[in-house]
Amino acid sequence: MKPFHWESTHGNFGDDLNLWLWDFLLPGLRNVHEETLLVGVGTVLNTLILPLEGRKLVIGSGFGYGSLPDMSDRNLWDIRSVRGPLTAEKVGLPQDMGIIDPAVMVTEMPEFKNLPKSGRRTFVPHWESAAAGLWPEICKTVGLSYLDPRGEAKAVIREIATSELIVAESMHGAILADAFRVPWIAVSTSRSINSFKWNDWARSLGVTYAPKHVPVSTRAEAIAKGARFWGVGFERNEQAAEELEKRREGETVVADPEQTTLRVMAKQALAVPSALALWQASKGKPQLSSDAALAARKERFMAVIDGVRRDYF
């Protein structure tokens, strides 16, 4: 059995934890049922991402983009659970099969237990914001620590787990914060943020997705997302998003010979509304699911894992 990993060109810690989480939850899975693809963490239940051929075991995946594959043949699709009630409804499953995003089980891994708190208040943007925005610089001005979601998954998760507050545009930033009992505040910079998947997870735990709006920080970010910047609307440009992604790696912007000091200052001035909105959002009332709700969902998820162990091992 092989865990499915949607390997994006930009990197995304929420997708990348599929590389090792399932080896913890189902030790030895790679030595059994070679014909089966384990479809786990991520918004991957669509025809563009999943391979058409082969047998699939679905544990906790979500819908949110594109079109659902035909999952009616139970000889090819063994669906044990999905991320939340909205995905369950979309797939045609009983709502109680929408249990939880499997990423919450990271907290049970020994290497993530009893981590010391850093006291940081941390902003985790969506990967598109990280690729095209001025967010590392903005975070410095508003007293937040910046965490790039495209970083190495375990390092990103440790930063989330040890923070005292997470301001999250990244959904898995909020999911992991909630799982580690770190209060979180949701923000959104554009309509390209997928509210279906957020609400799918939020409803599984009885929390509310009501993101604070934060304007995009650069014209390039507006072009990549199809957002407004200083009153000018832009259509989403996929090619621009890809090019911007290549120009950034982590917090370091690739040097541009045309970036004069004056131009940098102008960009920072234009990002002031973004900085103000992010600062205001960070002062809002954070959320956290109840201990009882999270524990109950994790218990139900582990019952699913126990069933998979009985049937496949």
Side-chain angles (χ1 to χ4, degrees):
M1 187 184 304
K2 180 181 179 181
F4 176 71
H5 172 228
W6 183 63
E7 188 174 4
S8 57
T9 56
H10 49 77
N12 189 345
F13 80 100
D15 297 305
D16 295 346
L17 58 81
N18 283 298
L19 293 170
W20 40 263
L21 176 61
W22 298 105
D23 295 281
F24 167 72
L25 293 172
L26 294 167
L29 84 163
R30 299 176 192 271
N31 301 322
V32 299
H33 296 277
E34 293 182 2
E35 78 287 355
T36 300
L37 184 68
L38 192 164
V39 184
V41 181
T43 308
V44 295
L45 294 179
N46 71 64
T47 54
L48 295 177
I49 291 180
L50 288 178
L52 296 176
E53 301 79 17
R55 191 171 190 276
K56 299 171 183 71
L57 168 63
V58 178
I59 311 177
S61 307
F63 172 76
Y65 306 100
S67 302
L68 277 172
D70 180 0
M71 294 182 275
S72 59
D73 189 342
R74 292 303 183 235
N75 292 318
L76 294 177
W77 290 86
D78 183 2
I79 306 174
R80 298 300 176 102
S81 74
V82 290
R83 178 165 56 208
L86 298 185
T87 293
E89 181 180 8
K90 190 75 176 179
V91 176
L93 301 171
Q95 282 212 347
D96 62 4
M97 289 185 69
I99 298 177
I100 195 68
D101 190 298
V104 301
M105 302 310 297
V106 166
T107 61
E108 301 304 311
M109 298 179 68
E111 64 190 282
F112 293 112
K113 287 186 175 291
N114 303 315
L115 295 174
K117 291 294 183 181
S118 65
R120 285 187 299 269
R121 297 163 61 85
T122 303
F123 174 52
V124 190
H126 187 269
W127 73 263
E128 283 186 333
S129 300
L134 207 63
W135 300 106
E137 294 83 353
I138 288 171
C139 282
K140 291 175 185 176
T141 67
V142 300
L144 293 175
S145 175
Y146 174 79
L147 182 56
D148 194 322
R150 300 169 298 169
E152 193 275 324
K154 289 188 177 183
V156 172
I157 291 168
R158 288 189 190 95
E159 289 290 315
I160 291 171
T162 56
S163 294
E164 72 171 25
L165 173 74
I166 293 294
V167 180
E169 187 182 31
S170 158
M171 184 183 73
H172 275 100
I175 289 174
L176 269 298
D178 196 85
F180 281 105
R181 308 283 75 194
V182 177
W184 54 273
I185 296 169
V187 298
S188 175
T189 57
S190 78
R191 63 177 181 269
S192 65
I193 299 297
N194 189 308
S195 61
F196 181 95
K197 66 179 186 179
W198 269 91
N199 282 308
D200 191 33
W201 163 71
R203 292 185 190 182
S204 73
L205 286 171
V207 294
T208 303
Y209 177 57
K212 309 287 187 184
H213 177 67
V214 176
V216 294
S217 61
T218 65
R219 179 176 178 273
E221 189 179 357
I223 293 171
K225 295 179 178 180
R228 297 183 67 83
F229 185 62
W230 282 88
V232 179
F234 294 90
E235 292 295 323
R236 181 175 172 83
N237 187 316
E238 295 291 345
Q239 183 177 355
E242 291 174 6
E243 288 301 316
L244 286 161
E245 187 179 319
K246 294 174 184 176
R247 290 177 54 199
R248 279 186 179 262
E249 182 176 350
E251 298 185 20
T252 303
V253 182
V254 176
D256 182 344
E258 297 183 5
Q259 290 278 12
T260 64
T261 301
L262 185 60
R263 189 173 181 182
V264 170
M265 291 175 62
K267 283 189 172 184
Q268 291 174 340
L270 290 172
V272 166
S274 305
L276 178 60
L278 184 61
W279 177 79
Q280 290 175 329
S282 72
K283 300 299 181 182
K285 184 179 180 180
Q287 290 198 75
L288 199 62
S289 67
S290 72
D291 291 346
L294 179 61
R297 292 289 171 160
K298 290 173 74 173
E299 183 177 357
R300 286 177 56 194
F301 183 82
M302 285 310 300
V304 169
I305 293 296
D306 289 341
V308 171
R309 287 175 181 152
R310 287 193 301 270
D311 296 340
Y312 283 84
F313 290 79

